[in-house]
Amino acid sequence: MAETEAALRTLAHNVRAARNRAGLSLDELGRRAKVSKGALVALEKAQGNPNFATLVRLADTLGISVSALMEGRTEGRVRVVSADSVMPLWTGEQGSEARLMLTTSGPAPTEVWRWKLEPGEEYPSHPHQAGVVETVSVTAGRMTLIVDGTEHPVEAGQTATFDGDAPHTYRGTGTQTCHLIMTVHLPPGPASAT
């Protein structure tokens, strides 16, 4: 319970700080991110329980990574993250999951994700801001990557890349669990007004 409360306080602080740096009111951030003002107020008071899609929309709108919303300050030059120390940000009904392992620093950060997709289970993602590029590298099993309605099979040992500003879905296929590493390459600077 204490870990959850600490994580919510960190998230609340980071959302408020990013919103203030971007010069956005609660109303304007809510409009751009398609999140209600009430949900934002609760979140900034560490009282909310935002879902994964809400975090992605807020991060995209603020021009930062999802992990920048969730992480406290990092110490040292090298950061080693163990998959079992990171809570899944999405879990499917059949056991699929997505874990945000870390985000690189710098003017154009990259998020590194570990995904597990069970056969037949899928995760539909909304389009990200312009300039976001994703890659998926399948390490075991098979998946179908659907970008803008077109299906692309990706098997173990293969990597696919695409512009993340189109609707996209990740679906487990075949008979085995699909394991993949996904990277999300964010454009430099804050998101522009839409």
Side-chain angles (χ1 to χ4, degrees):
M1 185 72 129
E3 283 183 18
T4 301
E5 290 174 4
L8 278 174
R9 283 193 303 275
T10 298
L11 178 62
H13 173 268
N14 291 344
V15 168
R16 186 173 39 260
R19 179 177 62 78
N20 288 334
R21 276 193 309 273
L24 298 175
S25 67
L26 284 166
D27 288 324
E28 185 61 16
L29 176 58
R31 184 188 69 75
R32 291 183 188 186
K34 298 181 177 113
V35 175
S36 74
K37 181 179 178 181
L40 286 175
V41 168
L43 180 58
E44 287 194 4
K45 290 182 177 180
Q47 298 171 343
N49 185 18
N51 64 29
F52 178 51
T54 298
L55 292 176
V56 170
R57 285 194 308 271
L58 287 171
D60 280 350
T61 302
L62 293 166
I64 60 176
S65 67
V66 173
S67 63
L69 290 178
M70 302 178 61
E71 293 178 349
R73 295 179 189 218
T74 58
E75 302 291 330
R77 295 175 61 114
V78 176
R79 193 169 24 146
V80 178
V81 180
S82 174
D84 59 0
S85 70
V86 178
M87 296 297 296
L89 287 179
W90 171 76
T91 53
E93 292 179 7
Q94 299 172 30
S96 298
E97 63 181 30
R99 295 173 190 257
L100 176 57
M101 299 303 296
L102 59 86
T103 302
T104 62
S105 59
T110 300
E111 298 175 349
V112 179
W113 293 79
R114 291 174 82 73
W115 282 74
K116 179 174 80 169
L117 290 170
E118 296 300 332
E121 192 155 36
E122 63 181 41
Y123 178 80
S125 178
H126 76 284
H128 301 293
Q129 63 176 313
V132 171
V133 175
E134 292 192 23
T135 65
V136 291
S137 297
V138 176
T139 59
R142 295 174 24 202
M143 70 170 290
T144 298
L145 171 65
I146 306 164
V147 178
D148 226 1
T150 301
E151 295 188 3
H152 306 273
V154 186
E155 300 183 8
Q158 294 182 323
T159 298
T161 186
F162 62 97
D163 293 333
D165 60 355
H168 49 283
T169 300
Y170 319 105
R171 179 188 307 140
T173 55
T175 58
Q176 299 177 316
T177 302
C178 176
H179 293 270
L180 63 107
I181 303 296
M182 178 183 75
T183 59
V184 180
H185 305 266
L186 304 168
S192 59
T194 54

